[in-house]
Amino acid sequence: MFKTRLDDTARAARAHLHAAISDKGALAEPMRYATAGGKGLRAFLVMESARIHGVSESRALWPAAAIEAIHAYSLVHDDMPCMDDDDLRRGLPTVHKKWDDATAVLVGDALQTLAFELLTHDDVGEARVPLISSMARAAGQLGMVHGQALDIAAETADSPLNLDQITELQAGKTGALIRWSGEAGAMLAGADIAPMRDYSTALGLAFQIADDILDVEGDAAAVGKAVGKDADAGKATFVSLLGLEAAKTRAKELVDQACDALSPYGEDADTLREAARFVIQRDR
Amino acid sequence: MFKTRLDDTARAARAHLHAAISDKGALAEPMRYATAGGKGLRAFLVMESARIHGVSESRALWPAAAIEAIHAYSLVHDDMPCMDDDDLRRGLPTVHKKWDDATAVLVGDALQTLAFELLTHDDVGEARVPLISSMARAAGQLGMVHGQALDIAAETADSPLNLDQITELQAGKTGALIRWSGEAGAMLAGADIAPMRDYSTALGLAFQIADDILDVEGDAAAVGKAVGKDADAGKATFVSLLGLEAAKTRAKELVDQACDALSPYGEDADTLREAARFVIQRDR
């Protein structure tokens, strides 16, 4: 049920995003390319949190497409040689490999802009300003970009990060957008965001711990990008700091926390509970 | 009168922007650095178009700071080695020279995000969504970033651009944000944007022609960045396509057009008329 819903929401959000990318100009093709793949977890969280709050799909598609645009922009920039320097993403050449660095800069820039434009659509209604404002906080200097800056700084630091620092880094780099995605449905409905905030905060951290576990245990072909990179680079991760078994235990605890936070929604939130269990069981 | 007003509005918008940049994290200093200088023409246009529409300074400061953030982001990215590769900006080392390329990517990204966040402030009132939506169009795939992509593509093209192509390039690269700045005051007031759109469209084009003239006639020390670069690179400019004298004549015609467009505002718009004359007389 979760897998079907994940695929359906990812496909719908991607189609919505692609319809918003103009055919005009040199950036059309790389913008589509940069947003063509991925699991679509963030879009799923927006769509599913919207559904359990009684929000229509036609409204939820705007923030779902917007968060996938922001996520894609962050990957395109993060993969650049001056950042994480990755040649492979979702099993395909990264944008700067297939085109060039200038294209990667501009595609990322245009995708960020597009995300904010999508959130201004009339269909989004009263929630437009709260969604834009919270997305800006999640993506900006104290959110995702803060996490990326900490990540870059860690690469040249004298000593590896400690657990508090890694937690702060990941709360920004991956946590902030995942939390926004979960909260978006409640914001669309004008409802209390606290349960979805607690759910998606725990989910985001579990997701990152699982990512670190995949970097150690995963298979490059399945993961679709290089593995073992962090360990080879001597970077601190949840696995290097906690040990593999304790990291797995911590991820499971976080999934339990995430599921508990959904109690106000009863059975209606079962797909979100499945999603939480999925993030620590996935192979990519 | 115009010079004083330009300095005052630039200082106020910069202070407003700097107050919005968090002290926290590694990006605080380069974000301030990237937004510390410049003429502040865009902020002036926002503030002055707001004033002639009876909009208070406290409301206008938000879009004024936002447009300076967007402008600064575009310069930081555009100066990078993979883009225009400039070492000097406003007489000082560019962000990637003073820090590094990764910092330049992240500072630009964070400044774009901050621009949208500023526009969500309660003080902006009813105009928030129209301002955000129009800024996204001005900055995005069919606006500024489109112009930058055309500019990058032109560098590797077999033949120089023609006049139509250069006009399209500049309408995006510099025109779109200048137009938005002029329209912003009318949008804040909920007034007809047509006169300000006509004014700032003509002003933006005159500004770019003047920039091309400065690249030929200007002094690097006064301009604060390298001059003669476009000619040396064999790039098409308004000067190379029209000739120096015809370019000057065209710029003057555009300034007249811009001033004429302000007729509905009478004498109240005299400072904006001075601004139009200034852009083709400046030495930097």
Side-chain angles (χ1 to χ4, degrees):
Chain A
M1 182 175 169
F2 158 68
K3 285 267 174 95
T4 311
R5 178 82 174 139
L6 177 68
D7 289 345
D8 288 350
T9 52
R11 195 179 307 114
R14 191 177 305 136
H16 205 73
L17 177 53
H18 282 196
I21 295 171
S22 165
D23 289 332
K24 199 185 157 193
L27 296 178
E29 195 191 338
M31 283 175 79
R32 274 166 217 278
Y33 181 86
T35 52
K39 288 180 288 294
L41 178 68
R42 290 155 191 82
F44 161 82
L45 291 170
V46 172
M47 302 293 285
E48 194 59 16
S49 70
R51 189 190 62 74
I52 66 170
H53 287 90
V55 173
S56 72
E57 260 198 23
S58 63
R59 283 185 71 207
L61 275 170
W62 298 98
I67 193 69
E68 290 296 331
I70 287 275
H71 179 52
Y73 123 65
S74 77
L75 298 181
V76 171
H77 281 184
D78 206 38
D79 285 339
M80 288 182 66
C82 64
M83 304 274 287
D84 265 6
D85 194 14
D86 279 304
D87 294 349
L88 209 58
R89 167 71 62 184
R90 299 163 176 170
L92 292 169
T94 44
V95 170
H96 70 271
K97 290 299 285 185
K98 196 168 163 76
W99 284 273
D100 50 38
D101 286 11
T103 303
V105 169
L106 294 174
V107 161
D109 289 347
L111 286 171
Q112 176 171 197
T113 318
L114 181 59
F116 286 105
E117 186 175 358
L118 288 164
L119 293 176
T120 65
H121 196 277
D122 282 350
D123 288 352
V124 182
E126 290 299 305
R128 284 176 294 185
V129 172
L131 283 168
I132 293 165
S133 162
S134 56
M135 177 180 275
R137 285 194 304 274
Q141 189 198 354
L142 298 183
M144 181 185 74
V145 168
H146 177 61
Q148 285 184 311
L150 291 174
D151 203 17
I152 299 288
E155 280 173 21
T156 54
D158 294 335
S159 52
L161 302 184
N162 63 31
L163 193 58
D164 281 352
Q165 291 169 319
I166 278 283
T167 304
E168 180 184 353
L169 187 163
Q170 298 303 349
K173 187 163 176 168
T174 53
L177 294 191
I178 289 177
R179 192 174 66 191
W180 185 91
S181 306
E183 292 172 351
M187 283 191 271
L188 281 166
D192 178 17
I193 65 167
M196 290 308 301
R197 185 192 60 216
D198 294 345
Y199 165 80
S200 51
T201 302
L203 180 80
L205 189 50
F207 183 87
Q208 186 55 48
I209 295 175
D211 229 43
D212 289 350
I213 294 170
L214 272 177
D215 191 63
V216 174
E217 291 194 328
D219 173 64
V223 177
K225 61 181 179 185
V227 296
K229 235 189 120 184
D230 293 342
D232 292 349
K235 274 173 86 168
T237 68
F238 287 106
V239 173
S240 74
L241 288 164
L242 296 170
L244 187 58
E245 287 314 307
K248 288 181 178 177
T249 304
R250 180 78 187 113
K252 283 194 194 103
E253 287 168 1
L254 286 162
V255 167
D256 289 341
Q257 272 180 38
C259 292
D260 289 350
L262 297 171
S263 57
Y265 304 103
E267 288 177 11
D268 206 23
D270 277 351
T271 309
L272 287 170
R273 291 187 186 89
E274 270 189 78
R277 285 187 287 269
F278 163 78
V279 300
I280 62 164
Q281 287 162 357
R282 67 203 161 96
D283 62 2
R284 65 184 179 100
Chain B
M1 183 176 169
F2 158 68
K3 286 269 175 96
T4 310
R5 178 79 174 140
L6 177 67
D7 289 346
D8 287 352
T9 52
R11 195 179 308 113
R14 191 176 304 135
H16 205 72
L17 178 53
H18 282 195
I21 296 171
S22 165
D23 289 333
K24 198 185 158 194
L27 296 178
E29 195 191 339
M31 283 175 80
R32 274 166 216 278
Y33 181 85
T35 52
K39 289 179 287 294
L41 178 67
R42 290 156 191 81
F44 161 82
L45 291 170
V46 173
M47 301 294 285
E48 193 61 14
S49 70
R51 189 189 62 74
I52 65 169
H53 286 91
V55 173
S56 71
E57 264 201 18
S58 63
R59 283 186 71 205
L61 276 170
W62 298 98
I67 194 68
E68 290 296 331
I70 287 274
H71 179 53
Y73 123 65
S74 76
L75 298 181
V76 171
H77 281 185
D78 206 38
D79 286 339
M80 288 182 66
C82 63
M83 304 274 287
D84 265 7
D85 194 14
D86 279 304
D87 294 350
L88 209 59
R89 168 70 63 184
R90 298 162 177 171
L92 292 169
T94 44
V95 170
H96 70 270
K97 289 299 286 184
K98 196 169 163 76
W99 284 272
D100 50 38
D101 286 11
T103 303
V105 169
L106 293 174
V107 161
D109 289 347
L111 285 171
Q112 177 171 196
T113 319
L114 181 59
F116 286 105
E117 186 175 357
L118 288 164
L119 293 176
T120 65
H121 196 277
D122 282 349
D123 288 352
V124 182
E126 289 300 305
R128 284 176 294 184
V129 172
L131 283 168
I132 293 165
S133 163
S134 57
M135 175 177 277
R137 285 194 305 273
Q141 189 200 353
L142 297 183
M144 181 186 74
V145 167
H146 177 61
Q148 285 184 311
L150 291 175
D151 203 17
I152 299 288
E155 281 173 20
T156 54
D158 293 334
S159 52
L161 301 185
N162 63 31
L163 193 58
D164 280 352
Q165 291 168 320
I166 278 283
T167 305
E168 180 184 352
L169 188 163
Q170 297 304 348
K173 186 163 176 167
T174 52
L177 294 190
I178 289 178
R179 193 175 66 192
W180 185 91
S181 306
E183 292 172 352
M187 282 191 271
L188 281 166
D192 178 16
I193 65 168
M196 290 307 300
R197 185 193 59 216
D198 294 345
Y199 165 80
S200 51
T201 302
L203 180 81
L205 189 50
F207 183 87
Q208 186 56 48
I209 296 176
D211 228 44
D212 289 349
I213 294 170
L214 272 177
D215 191 62
V216 175
E217 292 194 327
D219 172 64
V223 177
K225 61 181 178 184
V227 295
K229 233 189 124 187
D230 294 341
D232 292 349
K235 275 173 85 168
T237 68
F238 288 106
V239 173
S240 74
L241 289 165
L242 296 171
L244 187 58
E245 287 315 306
K248 287 181 178 177
T249 304
R250 181 77 187 113
K252 282 192 195 104
E253 287 167 2
L254 286 161
V255 167
D256 289 341
Q257 272 181 39
C259 291
D260 290 348
L262 297 171
S263 57
Y265 304 104
E267 289 178 10
D268 206 23
D270 277 352
T271 309
L272 287 171
R273 291 186 186 89
E274 270 190 77
R277 286 188 284 271
F278 163 77
V279 299
I280 62 164
Q281 288 161 357
R282 67 203 162 97
D283 61 2
R284 66 183 179 101

